[in-house]
mmCIF file with all atom_site columns, all heavy atoms in Angstrom:
data_model
loop_
_atom_site.group_PDB
_atom_site.id
_atom_site.type_symbol
_atom_site.label_atom_id
_atom_site.label_alt_id
_atom_site.label_comp_id
_atom_site.label_asym_id
_atom_site.label_entity_id
_atom_site.label_seq_id
_atom_site.pdbx_PDB_ins_code
_atom_site.Cartn_x
_atom_site.Cartn_y
_atom_site.Cartn_z
_atom_site.occupancy
_atom_site.B_iso_or_equiv
_atom_site.pdbx_formal_charge
_atom_site.auth_seq_id
_atom_site.auth_comp_id
_atom_site.auth_asym_id
_atom_site.auth_atom_id
_atom_site.pdbx_PDB_model_num
ATOM 1   N N   . MET A 1 24  ? 63.365 76.351  -104.800 1.00 0.00 ? 1458 MET A N   1
ATOM 2   C CA  . MET A 1 24  ? 64.634 76.122  -104.033 1.00 0.00 ? 1458 MET A CA  1
ATOM 3   C C   . MET A 1 24  ? 65.623 77.224  -104.118 1.00 0.00 ? 1458 MET A C   1
ATOM 4   O O   . MET A 1 24  ? 66.602 77.199  -103.483 1.00 0.00 ? 1458 MET A O   1
ATOM 5   C CB  . MET A 1 24  ? 65.259 74.777  -104.503 1.00 0.00 ? 1458 MET A CB  1
ATOM 6   C CG  . MET A 1 24  ? 64.345 73.559  -104.419 1.00 0.00 ? 1458 MET A CG  1
ATOM 7   S SD  . MET A 1 24  ? 63.690 73.289  -102.738 1.00 0.00 ? 1458 MET A SD  1
ATOM 8   C CE  . MET A 1 24  ? 65.233 72.899  -101.834 1.00 0.00 ? 1458 MET A CE  1
ATOM 9   N N   . SER A 1 42  ? 71.139 101.336 -106.940 1.00 0.00 ? 1476 SER A N   1
ATOM 10  C CA  . SER A 1 42  ? 72.224 100.613 -106.205 1.00 0.00 ? 1476 SER A CA  1
ATOM 11  C C   . SER A 1 42  ? 71.649 99.396  -105.495 1.00 0.00 ? 1476 SER A C   1
ATOM 12  O O   . SER A 1 42  ? 72.295 98.365  -105.435 1.00 0.00 ? 1476 SER A O   1
ATOM 13  C CB  . SER A 1 42  ? 72.825 101.592 -105.208 1.00 0.00 ? 1476 SER A CB  1
ATOM 14  O OG  . SER A 1 42  ? 73.689 100.917 -104.324 1.00 0.00 ? 1476 SER A OG  1
ATOM 15  N N   . PHE A 1 45  ? 70.878 96.784  -108.516 1.00 0.00 ? 1479 PHE A N   1
ATOM 16  C CA  . PHE A 1 45  ? 71.917 96.321  -109.360 1.00 0.00 ? 1479 PHE A CA  1
ATOM 17  C C   . PHE A 1 45  ? 73.304 96.273  -108.611 1.00 0.00 ? 1479 PHE A C   1
ATOM 18  O O   . PHE A 1 45  ? 74.265 95.763  -109.132 1.00 0.00 ? 1479 PHE A O   1
ATOM 19  C CB  . PHE A 1 45  ? 72.108 97.308  -110.562 1.00 0.00 ? 1479 PHE A CB  1
ATOM 20  C CG  . PHE A 1 45  ? 70.944 97.212  -111.507 1.00 0.00 ? 1479 PHE A CG  1
ATOM 21  C CD1 . PHE A 1 45  ? 69.859 98.105  -111.368 1.00 0.00 ? 1479 PHE A CD1 1
ATOM 22  C CD2 . PHE A 1 45  ? 70.918 96.277  -112.528 1.00 0.00 ? 1479 PHE A CD2 1
ATOM 23  C CE1 . PHE A 1 45  ? 68.774 98.025  -112.200 1.00 0.00 ? 1479 PHE A CE1 1
ATOM 24  C CE2 . PHE A 1 45  ? 69.810 96.212  -113.368 1.00 0.00 ? 1479 PHE A CE2 1
ATOM 25  C CZ  . PHE A 1 45  ? 68.719 97.085  -113.198 1.00 0.00 ? 1479 PHE A CZ  1
ATOM 26  N N   . GLY A 1 50  ? 83.530 102.721 -103.560 1.00 0.00 ? 1484 GLY A N   1
ATOM 27  C CA  . GLY A 1 50  ? 83.948 104.046 -103.884 1.00 0.00 ? 1484 GLY A CA  1
ATOM 28  C C   . GLY A 1 50  ? 83.134 104.726 -104.993 1.00 0.00 ? 1484 GLY A C   1
ATOM 29  O O   . GLY A 1 50  ? 83.477 105.866 -105.358 1.00 0.00 ? 1484 GLY A O   1
ATOM 30  N N   . SER A 1 67  ? 69.250 85.585  -108.125 1.00 0.00 ? 1501 SER A N   1
ATOM 31  C CA  . SER A 1 67  ? 69.595 84.784  -109.334 1.00 0.00 ? 1501 SER A CA  1
ATOM 32  C C   . SER A 1 67  ? 69.128 83.370  -109.249 1.00 0.00 ? 1501 SER A C   1
ATOM 33  O O   . SER A 1 67  ? 69.261 82.661  -108.275 1.00 0.00 ? 1501 SER A O   1
ATOM 34  C CB  . SER A 1 67  ? 71.189 84.793  -109.456 1.00 0.00 ? 1501 SER A CB  1
ATOM 35  O OG  . SER A 1 67  ? 71.549 84.034  -110.599 1.00 0.00 ? 1501 SER A OG  1
ATOM 36  N N   . GLY A 1 69  ? 66.099 82.518  -108.996 1.00 0.00 ? 1503 GLY A N   1
ATOM 37  C CA  . GLY A 1 69  ? 64.816 82.525  -108.264 1.00 0.00 ? 1503 GLY A CA  1
ATOM 38  C C   . GLY A 1 69  ? 63.889 83.596  -108.698 1.00 0.00 ? 1503 GLY A C   1
ATOM 39  O O   . GLY A 1 69  ? 63.748 83.862  -109.927 1.00 0.00 ? 1503 GLY A O   1
ATOM 40  N N   . SER A 1 80  ? 60.562 105.837 -110.713 1.00 0.00 ? 1514 SER A N   1
ATOM 41  C CA  . SER A 1 80  ? 60.820 106.974 -111.576 1.00 0.00 ? 1514 SER A CA  1
ATOM 42  C C   . SER A 1 80  ? 60.983 106.550 -113.048 1.00 0.00 ? 1514 SER A C   1
ATOM 43  O O   . SER A 1 80  ? 61.352 105.383 -113.311 1.00 0.00 ? 1514 SER A O   1
ATOM 44  C CB  . SER A 1 80  ? 62.044 107.722 -111.100 1.00 0.00 ? 1514 SER A CB  1
ATOM 45  O OG  . SER A 1 80  ? 63.171 107.008 -111.392 1.00 0.00 ? 1514 SER A OG  1
ATOM 46  N N   . LEU A 1 87  ? 65.388 99.440  -115.707 1.00 0.00 ? 1521 LEU A N   1
ATOM 47  C CA  . LEU A 1 87  ? 64.730 98.149  -115.495 1.00 0.00 ? 1521 LEU A CA  1
ATOM 48  C C   . LEU A 1 87  ? 64.405 97.497  -116.850 1.00 0.00 ? 1521 LEU A C   1
ATOM 49  O O   . LEU A 1 87  ? 64.526 96.309  -117.053 1.00 0.00 ? 1521 LEU A O   1
ATOM 50  C CB  . LEU A 1 87  ? 63.494 98.261  -114.676 1.00 0.00 ? 1521 LEU A CB  1
ATOM 51  C CG  . LEU A 1 87  ? 62.709 97.023  -114.343 1.00 0.00 ? 1521 LEU A CG  1
ATOM 52  C CD1 . LEU A 1 87  ? 63.580 95.987  -113.609 1.00 0.00 ? 1521 LEU A CD1 1
ATOM 53  C CD2 . LEU A 1 87  ? 61.404 97.274  -113.606 1.00 0.00 ? 1521 LEU A CD2 1
ATOM 54  N N   . ARG A 1 118 ? 48.273 100.913 -108.536 1.00 0.00 ? 1552 ARG A N   1
ATOM 55  C CA  . ARG A 1 118 ? 47.937 102.014 -109.387 1.00 0.00 ? 1552 ARG A CA  1
ATOM 56  C C   . ARG A 1 118 ? 47.477 101.551 -110.735 1.00 0.00 ? 1552 ARG A C   1
ATOM 57  O O   . ARG A 1 118 ? 47.721 100.393 -111.127 1.00 0.00 ? 1552 ARG A O   1
ATOM 58  C CB  . ARG A 1 118 ? 49.166 102.922 -109.604 1.00 0.00 ? 1552 ARG A CB  1
ATOM 59  C CG  . ARG A 1 118 ? 49.589 103.705 -108.405 1.00 0.00 ? 1552 ARG A CG  1
ATOM 60  C CD  . ARG A 1 118 ? 50.812 104.528 -108.682 1.00 0.00 ? 1552 ARG A CD  1
ATOM 61  N NE  . ARG A 1 118 ? 51.260 105.385 -107.528 1.00 0.00 ? 1552 ARG A NE  1
ATOM 62  C CZ  . ARG A 1 118 ? 50.808 106.608 -107.406 1.00 0.00 ? 1552 ARG A CZ  1
ATOM 63  N NH1 . ARG A 1 118 ? 49.994 107.127 -108.280 1.00 0.00 ? 1552 ARG A NH1 1
ATOM 64  N NH2 . ARG A 1 118 ? 51.171 107.361 -106.328 1.00 0.00 ? 1552 ARG A NH2 1
ATOM 65  N N   . GLU A 1 122 ? 46.560 104.553 -116.901 1.00 0.00 ? 1556 GLU A N   1
ATOM 66  C CA  . GLU A 1 122 ? 46.396 105.991 -116.648 1.00 0.00 ? 1556 GLU A CA  1
ATOM 67  C C   . GLU A 1 122 ? 47.687 106.699 -116.526 1.00 0.00 ? 1556 GLU A C   1
ATOM 68  O O   . GLU A 1 122 ? 47.851 107.812 -116.956 1.00 0.00 ? 1556 GLU A O   1
ATOM 69  C CB  . GLU A 1 122 ? 45.552 106.169 -115.353 1.00 0.00 ? 1556 GLU A CB  1
ATOM 70  C CG  . GLU A 1 122 ? 44.081 105.792 -115.534 1.00 0.00 ? 1556 GLU A CG  1
ATOM 71  C CD  . GLU A 1 122 ? 43.283 106.186 -114.280 1.00 0.00 ? 1556 GLU A CD  1
ATOM 72  O OE1 . GLU A 1 122 ? 43.865 106.746 -113.332 1.00 0.00 ? 1556 GLU A OE1 1
ATOM 73  O OE2 . GLU A 1 122 ? 42.039 105.973 -114.269 1.00 0.00 ? 1556 GLU A OE2 1
ATOM 74  N N   . ALA A 1 125 ? 49.179 107.270 -119.886 1.00 0.00 ? 1559 ALA A N   1
ATOM 75  C CA  . ALA A 1 125 ? 48.531 108.393 -120.558 1.00 0.00 ? 1559 ALA A CA  1
ATOM 76  C C   . ALA A 1 125 ? 49.028 109.732 -119.992 1.00 0.00 ? 1559 ALA A C   1
ATOM 77  O O   . ALA A 1 125 ? 49.099 110.740 -120.703 1.00 0.00 ? 1559 ALA A O   1
ATOM 78  C CB  . ALA A 1 125 ? 46.984 108.278 -120.394 1.00 0.00 ? 1559 ALA A CB  1
ATOM 79  N N   . GLY A 1 127 ? 51.955 110.168 -118.887 1.00 0.00 ? 1561 GLY A N   1
ATOM 80  C CA  . GLY A 1 127 ? 53.403 110.275 -119.138 1.00 0.00 ? 1561 GLY A CA  1
ATOM 81  C C   . GLY A 1 127 ? 54.314 109.991 -117.971 1.00 0.00 ? 1561 GLY A C   1
ATOM 82  O O   . GLY A 1 127 ? 55.481 110.341 -117.952 1.00 0.00 ? 1561 GLY A O   1
ATOM 83  N N   . GLN A 1 141 ? 48.748 88.689  -116.261 1.00 0.00 ? 1575 GLN A N   1
ATOM 84  C CA  . GLN A 1 141 ? 48.216 89.666  -115.280 1.00 0.00 ? 1575 GLN A CA  1
ATOM 85  C C   . GLN A 1 141 ? 47.262 89.007  -114.338 1.00 0.00 ? 1575 GLN A C   1
ATOM 86  O O   . GLN A 1 141 ? 46.386 88.279  -114.699 1.00 0.00 ? 1575 GLN A O   1
ATOM 87  C CB  . GLN A 1 141 ? 47.508 90.824  -116.030 1.00 0.00 ? 1575 GLN A CB  1
ATOM 88  C CG  . GLN A 1 141 ? 47.064 91.953  -115.085 1.00 0.00 ? 1575 GLN A CG  1
ATOM 89  C CD  . GLN A 1 141 ? 46.305 93.056  -115.893 1.00 0.00 ? 1575 GLN A CD  1
ATOM 90  O OE1 . GLN A 1 141 ? 45.097 93.187  -115.725 1.00 0.00 ? 1575 GLN A OE1 1
ATOM 91  N NE2 . GLN A 1 141 ? 47.068 93.758  -116.782 1.00 0.00 ? 1575 GLN A NE2 1
ATOM 92  N N   . LEU A 1 142 ? 47.553 89.188  -113.012 1.00 0.00 ? 1576 LEU A N   1
ATOM 93  C CA  . LEU A 1 142 ? 46.671 88.629  -112.001 1.00 0.00 ? 1576 LEU A CA  1
ATOM 94  C C   . LEU A 1 142 ? 45.979 89.773  -111.271 1.00 0.00 ? 1576 LEU A C   1
ATOM 95  O O   . LEU A 1 142 ? 46.710 90.672  -110.828 1.00 0.00 ? 1576 LEU A O   1
ATOM 96  C CB  . LEU A 1 142 ? 47.428 87.776  -111.023 1.00 0.00 ? 1576 LEU A CB  1
ATOM 97  C CG  . LEU A 1 142 ? 48.170 86.564  -111.566 1.00 0.00 ? 1576 LEU A CG  1
ATOM 98  C CD1 . LEU A 1 142 ? 48.931 85.842  -110.472 1.00 0.00 ? 1576 LEU A CD1 1
ATOM 99  C CD2 . LEU A 1 142 ? 47.195 85.602  -112.284 1.00 0.00 ? 1576 LEU A CD2 1
ATOM 100 N N   . ARG A 1 150 ? 34.889 89.648  -101.826 1.00 0.00 ? 1584 ARG A N   1
ATOM 101 C CA  . ARG A 1 150 ? 34.998 88.203  -101.500 1.00 0.00 ? 1584 ARG A CA  1
ATOM 102 C C   . ARG A 1 150 ? 34.677 88.002  -100.017 1.00 0.00 ? 1584 ARG A C   1
ATOM 103 O O   . ARG A 1 150 ? 35.522 87.520  -99.293  1.00 0.00 ? 1584 ARG A O   1
ATOM 104 C CB  . ARG A 1 150 ? 36.310 87.684  -101.937 1.00 0.00 ? 1584 ARG A CB  1
ATOM 105 C CG  . ARG A 1 150 ? 37.542 88.491  -101.548 1.00 0.00 ? 1584 ARG A CG  1
ATOM 106 C CD  . ARG A 1 150 ? 38.808 87.952  -102.174 1.00 0.00 ? 1584 ARG A CD  1
ATOM 107 N NE  . ARG A 1 150 ? 39.950 88.789  -101.897 1.00 0.00 ? 1584 ARG A NE  1
ATOM 108 C CZ  . ARG A 1 150 ? 40.943 88.486  -101.170 1.00 0.00 ? 1584 ARG A CZ  1
ATOM 109 N NH1 . ARG A 1 150 ? 41.045 87.303  -100.595 1.00 0.00 ? 1584 ARG A NH1 1
ATOM 110 N NH2 . ARG A 1 150 ? 41.994 89.276  -101.012 1.00 0.00 ? 1584 ARG A NH2 1
ATOM 111 N N   . ALA A 1 167 ? 48.329 82.829  -80.601  1.00 0.00 ? 1601 ALA A N   1
ATOM 112 C CA  . ALA A 1 167 ? 49.574 82.061  -80.417  1.00 0.00 ? 1601 ALA A CA  1
ATOM 113 C C   . ALA A 1 167 ? 50.757 83.031  -80.140  1.00 0.00 ? 1601 ALA A C   1
ATOM 114 O O   . ALA A 1 167 ? 51.614 82.708  -79.281  1.00 0.00 ? 1601 ALA A O   1
ATOM 115 C CB  . ALA A 1 167 ? 49.811 81.180  -81.592  1.00 0.00 ? 1601 ALA A CB  1
ATOM 116 N N   . ASP A 1 179 ? 26.392 87.398  -84.086  1.00 0.00 ? 1613 ASP A N   1
ATOM 117 C CA  . ASP A 1 179 ? 26.154 88.752  -84.471  1.00 0.00 ? 1613 ASP A CA  1
ATOM 118 C C   . ASP A 1 179 ? 27.445 89.402  -84.857  1.00 0.00 ? 1613 ASP A C   1
ATOM 119 O O   . ASP A 1 179 ? 27.526 90.222  -85.867  1.00 0.00 ? 1613 ASP A O   1
ATOM 120 C CB  . ASP A 1 179 ? 25.490 89.509  -83.345  1.00 0.00 ? 1613 ASP A CB  1
ATOM 121 C CG  . ASP A 1 179 ? 24.013 89.124  -83.159  1.00 0.00 ? 1613 ASP A CG  1
ATOM 122 O OD1 . ASP A 1 179 ? 23.472 88.478  -84.101  1.00 0.00 ? 1613 ASP A OD1 1
ATOM 123 O OD2 . ASP A 1 179 ? 23.457 89.507  -82.117  1.00 0.00 ? 1613 ASP A OD2 1
ATOM 124 N N   . GLN A 1 182 ? 28.634 88.239  -88.262  1.00 0.00 ? 1616 GLN A N   1
ATOM 125 C CA  . GLN A 1 182 ? 27.864 88.778  -89.328  1.00 0.00 ? 1616 GLN A CA  1
ATOM 126 C C   . GLN A 1 182 ? 28.224 90.239  -89.589  1.00 0.00 ? 1616 GLN A C   1
ATOM 127 O O   . GLN A 1 182 ? 28.329 90.709  -90.712  1.00 0.00 ? 1616 GLN A O   1
ATOM 128 C CB  . GLN A 1 182 ? 26.330 88.642  -89.050  1.00 0.00 ? 1616 GLN A CB  1
ATOM 129 C CG  . GLN A 1 182 ? 25.845 87.211  -89.075  1.00 0.00 ? 1616 GLN A CG  1
ATOM 130 C CD  . GLN A 1 182 ? 24.376 87.193  -88.666  1.00 0.00 ? 1616 GLN A CD  1
ATOM 131 O OE1 . GLN A 1 182 ? 23.687 88.215  -88.552  1.00 0.00 ? 1616 GLN A OE1 1
ATOM 132 N NE2 . GLN A 1 182 ? 23.860 85.912  -88.511  1.00 0.00 ? 1616 GLN A NE2 1
ATOM 133 N N   . GLY A 1 191 ? 40.763 98.674  -95.715  1.00 0.00 ? 1625 GLY A N   1
ATOM 134 C CA  . GLY A 1 191 ? 42.214 98.364  -95.658  1.00 0.00 ? 1625 GLY A CA  1
ATOM 135 C C   . GLY A 1 191 ? 42.506 96.931  -96.024  1.00 0.00 ? 1625 GLY A C   1
ATOM 136 O O   . GLY A 1 191 ? 43.674 96.480  -95.924  1.00 0.00 ? 1625 GLY A O   1
ATOM 137 N N   . GLU A 1 201 ? 44.642 91.219  -84.207  1.00 0.00 ? 1635 GLU A N   1
ATOM 138 C CA  . GLU A 1 201 ? 45.667 91.481  -83.189  1.00 0.00 ? 1635 GLU A CA  1
ATOM 139 C C   . GLU A 1 201 ? 45.138 92.324  -82.078  1.00 0.00 ? 1635 GLU A C   1
ATOM 140 O O   . GLU A 1 201 ? 45.366 92.100  -80.895  1.00 0.00 ? 1635 GLU A O   1
ATOM 141 C CB  . GLU A 1 201 ? 46.927 92.059  -83.804  1.00 0.00 ? 1635 GLU A CB  1
ATOM 142 C CG  . GLU A 1 201 ? 47.665 91.126  -84.716  1.00 0.00 ? 1635 GLU A CG  1
ATOM 143 C CD  . GLU A 1 201 ? 48.891 91.749  -85.337  1.00 0.00 ? 1635 GLU A CD  1
ATOM 144 O OE1 . GLU A 1 201 ? 49.159 92.954  -85.034  1.00 0.00 ? 1635 GLU A OE1 1
ATOM 145 O OE2 . GLU A 1 201 ? 49.586 91.113  -86.161  1.00 0.00 ? 1635 GLU A OE2 1
#
Side-chain angles (χ1 to χ4, degrees):
M1458 302 304 293
S1476 169
F1479 295 91
S1501 181
S1514 70
L1521 180 62
R1552 292 179 174 269
E1556 285 187 0
Q1575 186 180 112
L1576 301 178
R1584 45 189 175 111
D1613 286 346
Q1616 290 177 10
E1635 291 180 1

